[in-house]
Amino acid sequence: MGWQVFLEKLWQDFQCLDDLYAFFKFLPHEVFQPTEEEHMQTHLDPEFRTRPHVSPLARITRTSPLGVFVRRACLEFARLQFDDTIKLWEDFVQYRAPSEAAWRIKKPKTEPARQSGSPVPHVPTHQDHPLYQKAYGHLQNQTVSEGIASIEDIERLLEYQLEQLQKYGNRVPEEMKGQFRAMVSPSVSVPSLSHFVRFFDAWRAGDYTSSFDNLHRYFDYTMSTKDKTYYQYALLHMAVLQADFGCFSEAHAAMQETIATARENQDMNCLNFSLSWLHHLSKAYPGQMRAAGYAGITGSEREGLEFLEAKAKESKSWSLHSSTLLSLAKLTLSNGESVARALEYLYQSSHLNLHHNLTTVTGAQMLMLSSVLSRLGLAESAEQQVLALKLCHESSSPVEEILRATCRLAYMAAQAGYHDKATDLLDEVNPEVHRTLKFHQYLTVYSGMLKLKRQLQKNNLVASTHLLSELKAASLLDPELNFELVMLELNCLLRQAKVSEAFTLIDDFGSRLKDEGADVYQRIRLLSCKARIFNAAGQPQLGFSVALRAANASFKARILPAAWEAVGQLCNILIHESQFEAAVELLDAITPQAMEGGDATLCADLFAIQGDAHVGMAKRTKSGSREQGRHLGEASRLLERAKEWYERAEDLCGQLRMLAMKAVICRLRGDYDAADEQAAQYVHVHDTAMENMREESGPNPEFRSLKPSKQ
């Protein structure tokens, strides 16, 4: 009996959306004892007079659990917007659809009549009726009814998206965007936080106009609704956005206003972060910030960072405290100060990361430690640090840190001569990285630089010149990439025998680095390159003081790879001055260490210079003597080792030079068959390389003049 009454209510009383409105309108009058006001309303409202009077068997009180439920249901229905009411009605139609067969058994030929007085004609309830299919046919294709997302659910989703964007620096996945658009119907009032999420997404995508528009919208809404977001944070995001798009003067002005506003509002967290970020920007882009009018922190740079460290510790901003310690470690290294002090800062930062679970700073700390180990010549340990970051902390580290770690691994592999491995590492990067414009540009430039390095090693000057012109047009802002590009351009000029242009380039770039207060490692490498240019010009003696300064500064700063390179240039000068024993003694001391440094080209150069020294020592002995034979044999062995390292580095000119020198040594020893064998191998290596270059570069009229000449 109860089931039949329920069916009658479902199909007889609810024929259209208007009946649903009427049900909730009259429900309180039918289940509660009417008040005087409700009595008066029933007499004045014509709908109450035309509606059939229902006499309930029992009334319920308004304060009972059932009465509270009825009042809450009526209230929530009244608060629904029209689109949500439509969804509620469609859900009701889907809910009662399975009971249609039971209703047809009871009323086989009758169609429920609409209630008297209702101005709305009903839609037929037969599912096969054309009008029913037109109105509700789309509901039959939905297996599960779409849930109506509340404002609280949407806000939680936006907060999660915002947390991921700020923590990892990536973009919102397209799948999540589609789901969010499906959840937000036209009736849902979208929170202002959605503009902030769109701002971050447009920023990462490189959409300058949309990011500014959404940033202004978000803070306009939050200010109008008197949200707890302060004005200084709007300025802070504006400054970071301006700097990311290369507008450093606007970024400096916005950050100065941020600092003034944060100081006025006594917001120490915002103030400390702003000062730290401004210092970071001045170190990352010194020339641009100086042109924008930034004069630096009052007092010395170290005093400013120590002040920020103390304030971060005082306010218990552990993430900022750890980042400031990393900045102090970087400052110590860039100034060439104690490596032990830099390691102390790194271990303090690591302690904070572990104690307070600062996962977002762990990647930067491990990359910094890898840089310190690389400066000490411990290439294997440095590589293990980067691998540990990728394997153990990839899921909790920002995308930018993982990208830099991958690029550093690729650089180490290319430096060791494993160019294919370096290419594979860059190709295996998550495709989602390319959706962020900044990361895509960084990865593209890094890949182009590794390709340029490989083509220079192969002496393919046609491809090298083309790649170099494209990379120079990219207008690099990263100081490290800019420095590496200048080193590659210098190498290209020297391979083309353009010594004067190379000297002009190194002189201008050195003056710029000195004005910017660049890293001591970069300045030492420039000194070694200047000595190399003097050697290429045929006057190595002019580079003696330069190479000596580079060796002295690198040993003081404990930058061992730069020291090995400088000592190699110094030994080359000693050989030209006939100081062969001194050169051999120095090279015997540093070559085993350099082999652990992971630089194939440097190892090959050191072995080649040591072989030259033994050849010079052999020339000073009596012809045909046992001592001359011993020196020539040692020179041949060292040149063979140098050739092996050049082969690993794919350095064509180095391989040919070693084969030519070995052929000369064979002739000095009277072994003409071995000399002819070395000459034949020279021709084979040369012709094979030329054929490979023709296949890579294609037909080019300049190719013949750019290929290396046979000695």
Side-chain angles (χ1 to χ4, degrees):
M1 181 64 182
W3 170 247
Q4 298 297 331
V5 174
F6 181 63
L7 279 180
E8 185 175 352
K9 284 288 184 182
L10 284 179
W11 292 94
Q12 188 73 27
D13 294 351
F14 295 97
Q15 304 171 21
C16 61
L17 182 60
D18 184 67
D19 293 336
L20 186 64
Y21 273 100
F23 171 76
F24 281 102
K25 181 178 180 180
F26 299 121
L27 183 62
H29 300 273
E30 295 177 353
V31 298
F32 299 139
Q33 187 67 33
T35 61
E36 295 182 2
E37 183 179 354
E38 291 175 344
H39 270 299
M40 187 179 298
Q41 185 180 3
T42 55
H43 290 293
L44 296 177
D45 194 339
E47 292 188 26
F48 282 91
R49 294 197 300 266
T50 57
R51 184 176 177 85
H53 179 67
V54 179
S55 298
L57 298 177
R59 300 279 186 175
I60 61 176
T61 59
R62 299 176 185 269
T63 57
S64 65
L66 185 57
V68 171
F69 171 75
V70 171
R71 289 192 295 129
R72 181 63 183 271
C74 295
L75 177 62
E76 292 298 333
F77 181 80
R79 293 173 58 183
L80 286 179
Q81 300 188 31
F82 182 73
D83 188 73
D84 294 333
T85 309
I86 293 293
K87 288 183 178 179
L88 180 61
W89 171 252
E90 291 178 347
D91 290 341
F92 173 75
V93 171
Q94 278 188 297
Y95 167 75
R96 73 174 182 181
S99 63
E100 182 183 6
W103 171 251
R104 293 302 165 200
I105 293 174
K106 183 179 179 182
K107 303 281 186 172
K109 296 183 179 180
T110 59
E111 186 69 36
R114 60 192 171 115
Q115 295 178 2
S116 60
S118 176
V120 182
H122 69 270
V123 176
T125 55
H126 288 287
Q127 296 189 11
D128 298 333
H129 197 282
L131 187 55
Y132 182 91
Q133 290 294 327
K134 197 69 174 177
Y136 306 120
H138 64 284
L139 300 179
Q140 298 176 358
N141 300 325
Q142 297 180 1
T143 56
V144 179
S145 177
E146 295 182 358
I148 302 176
S150 64
I151 299 296
E152 290 78 8
D153 293 337
I154 295 175
E155 286 182 348
R156 291 195 197 99
L157 178 60
L158 290 173
E159 289 172 0
Y160 172 77
Q161 291 180 351
L162 188 60
E163 180 186 2
Q164 298 300 305
L165 289 171
Q166 291 179 325
K167 185 177 181 180
Y168 299 109
N170 52 1
R171 293 183 61 193
V172 180
E174 291 295 335
E175 182 180 358
M176 183 175 287
K177 284 184 182 179
Q179 293 177 355
F180 180 72
R181 282 192 294 265
M183 290 176 62
V184 180
S185 62
S187 64
V188 177
S189 57
V190 182
S192 60
L193 199 61
S194 63
H195 299 297
F196 206 38
V197 173
R198 292 194 189 103
F199 152 69
F200 270 101
D201 193 62
W203 176 15
R204 303 301 182 192
D207 192 346
Y208 185 81
T209 307
S210 298
S211 57
F212 266 92
D213 182 43
N214 285 294
L215 181 64
H216 282 292
R217 284 186 181 183
Y218 170 68
F219 282 102
D220 286 345
Y221 278 118
T222 53
M223 293 300 175
S224 62
T225 56
K226 297 182 180 180
D227 200 357
K228 292 182 180 180
T229 308
Y230 297 102
Y231 176 60
Q232 59 265 25
Y233 291 101
L235 294 170
L236 178 62
H237 284 89
M238 179 70 73
V240 176
L241 180 64
Q242 295 278 14
D244 207 42
F245 284 102
C247 306
F248 294 99
S249 57
E250 291 84 352
H252 176 247
M255 188 55 71
Q256 291 295 338
E257 190 174 353
T258 303
I259 293 172
T261 308
R263 186 180 290 117
E264 180 181 352
N265 295 336
Q266 297 182 356
D267 189 346
M268 298 307 299
N269 290 330
C270 181
L271 179 61
N272 293 335
F273 181 82
S274 301
L275 292 173
S276 176
W277 184 85
L278 198 58
H279 171 265
H280 162 72
L281 200 65
S282 65
K283 295 300 293 182
Y285 311 103
Q288 292 86 345
M289 289 300 292
R290 188 178 293 106
Y294 178 68
I297 302 176
T298 304
S300 66
E301 189 174 352
R302 180 173 296 279
E303 290 175 355
L305 287 176
E306 289 175 350
F307 169 77
L308 289 175
E309 180 195 358
K311 289 298 182 182
K313 187 176 182 180
E314 180 183 338
S315 61
K316 296 184 179 181
S317 302
W318 304 121
S319 179
L320 180 60
H321 189 191
S322 180
S323 300
T324 307
L325 288 172
L326 293 180
S327 298
L328 282 169
K330 187 175 183 179
L331 177 64
T332 303
L333 293 174
S334 63
N335 291 340
E337 300 174 11
S338 171
V339 178
R341 185 62 175 166
L343 288 173
E344 182 180 350
Y345 287 132
L346 285 173
Y347 291 143
Q348 290 177 6
S349 173
S350 178
H351 172 74
L352 287 175
N353 296 341
L354 292 173
H355 186 70
H356 298 284
N357 194 25
L358 305 177
T359 56
T360 56
V361 193
T362 303
Q365 181 262 330
M366 296 184 72
L367 286 177
M368 179 68 69
L369 182 57
S370 173
S371 299
V372 175
L373 295 173
S374 296
R375 286 173 176 249
L376 295 175
L378 305 174
E380 185 66 26
S381 300
E383 184 179 1
Q384 291 303 318
Q385 281 291 325
V386 183
L387 284 174
L389 170 60
K390 281 183 60 64
L391 296 177
C392 304
H393 302 279
E394 184 173 5
S395 60
S396 59
S397 298
V399 177
E400 184 174 5
E401 303 297 343
I402 300 301
L403 177 61
R404 289 184 178 274
T406 304
C407 291
R408 183 168 295 183
L409 283 175
Y411 180 81
M412 290 179 179
Q415 195 175 38
Y418 304 112
H419 295 280
D420 293 332
K421 179 182 176 181
T423 304
D424 293 339
L425 283 170
L426 295 182
D427 290 341
E428 292 172 0
V429 172
N430 190 347
E432 285 292 320
V433 171
H434 293 279
R435 297 184 63 242
T436 302
L437 179 63
K438 182 180 178 181
F439 300 158
H440 171 74
Q441 292 176 340
Y442 185 86
L443 185 60
T444 302
V445 170
Y446 218 101
S447 177
M449 290 175 61
L450 292 184
K451 290 179 181 178
L452 173 59
K453 183 182 180 70
R454 189 175 191 179
Q455 295 301 326
L456 284 174
Q457 297 287 77
K458 293 181 177 180
N459 208 48
N460 190 347
L461 299 180
V462 176
S464 301
T465 306
H466 175 69
L467 286 171
L468 183 61
S469 61
E470 288 190 347
L471 289 172
K472 289 175 68 176
S475 300
L476 304 179
L477 294 177
D478 192 296
E480 295 181 0
L481 294 183
N482 196 15
F483 177 79
E484 291 297 332
L485 182 59
V486 171
M487 293 295 99
L488 292 172
E489 184 180 2
L490 175 65
N491 191 4
C492 184
L493 291 175
L494 290 179
R495 288 178 181 272
Q496 293 176 345
K498 298 179 180 179
V499 180
S500 58
E501 295 182 17
F503 192 84
T504 302
L505 173 66
I506 208 74
D507 202 24
D508 294 342
F509 190 65
S511 300
R512 195 175 77 186
L513 289 183
K514 184 178 180 181
D515 294 338
E516 295 176 354
D519 192 345
V520 64
Y521 171 66
Q522 297 180 352
R523 287 180 281 173
I524 291 174
R525 282 198 64 186
L526 286 185
L527 291 176
S528 299
C529 290
K530 189 174 289 188
R532 180 184 169 194
I533 293 174
F534 282 122
N535 183 40
Q539 297 178 335
Q541 300 84 355
L542 297 179
F544 180 77
S545 61
V546 176
L548 194 59
R549 284 171 53 200
N552 184 33
S554 57
F555 273 110
K556 280 185 178 180
R558 296 295 185 269
I559 307 177
L560 296 188
W564 301 330
E565 184 180 2
V567 170
Q569 296 298 329
L570 190 61
C571 292
N572 195 24
I573 298 171
L574 292 175
I575 291 173
H576 281 82
E577 294 296 325
S578 300
Q579 300 293 327
F580 305 116
E581 291 81 2
V584 170
E585 187 176 352
L586 286 172
L587 290 169
D588 284 340
I590 67 169
T591 303
Q593 302 177 29
M595 293 175 66
E596 298 180 1
D599 191 341
T601 303
L602 177 60
C603 292
D605 291 340
L606 294 179
F607 277 116
I609 295 172
Q610 199 168 5
D612 285 343
H614 279 281
V615 171
M617 294 170 67
K619 288 182 179 179
R620 293 197 308 189
T621 59
K622 184 178 179 181
S623 177
S625 63
R626 179 179 298 178
E627 186 178 1
Q628 185 187 46
R630 181 175 64 82
H631 284 302
L632 290 176
E634 185 67 15
S636 179
R637 183 185 68 83
L638 291 170
L639 293 177
E640 180 63 28
R641 293 292 303 277
K643 175 178 169 293
E644 293 174 358
W645 282 99
Y646 280 129
E647 287 178 353
R648 178 190 292 187
E650 300 183 3
D651 191 335
L652 176 62
C653 291
Q655 296 178 55
L656 297 180
R657 191 170 70 251
M658 295 303 102
L659 289 171
M661 291 181 64
K662 287 183 66 177
V664 172
I665 291 175
C666 291
R667 290 185 178 277
L668 289 175
R669 300 172 67 178
D671 192 350
Y672 295 101
D673 293 336
D676 293 340
E677 183 180 348
Q678 295 295 329
Q681 188 176 357
Y682 181 104
V683 174
H684 173 71
V685 171
H686 176 273
D687 292 343
T688 303
M690 293 300 102
E691 186 64 30
N692 293 335
M693 278 191 280
R694 287 190 185 93
E695 294 178 359
E696 293 179 3
S697 301
N700 194 308
E702 301 179 2
F703 181 78
R704 186 176 299 277
S705 62
L706 292 175
K707 66 181 180 180
S709 58
K710 299 181 182 180
Q711 300 292 334

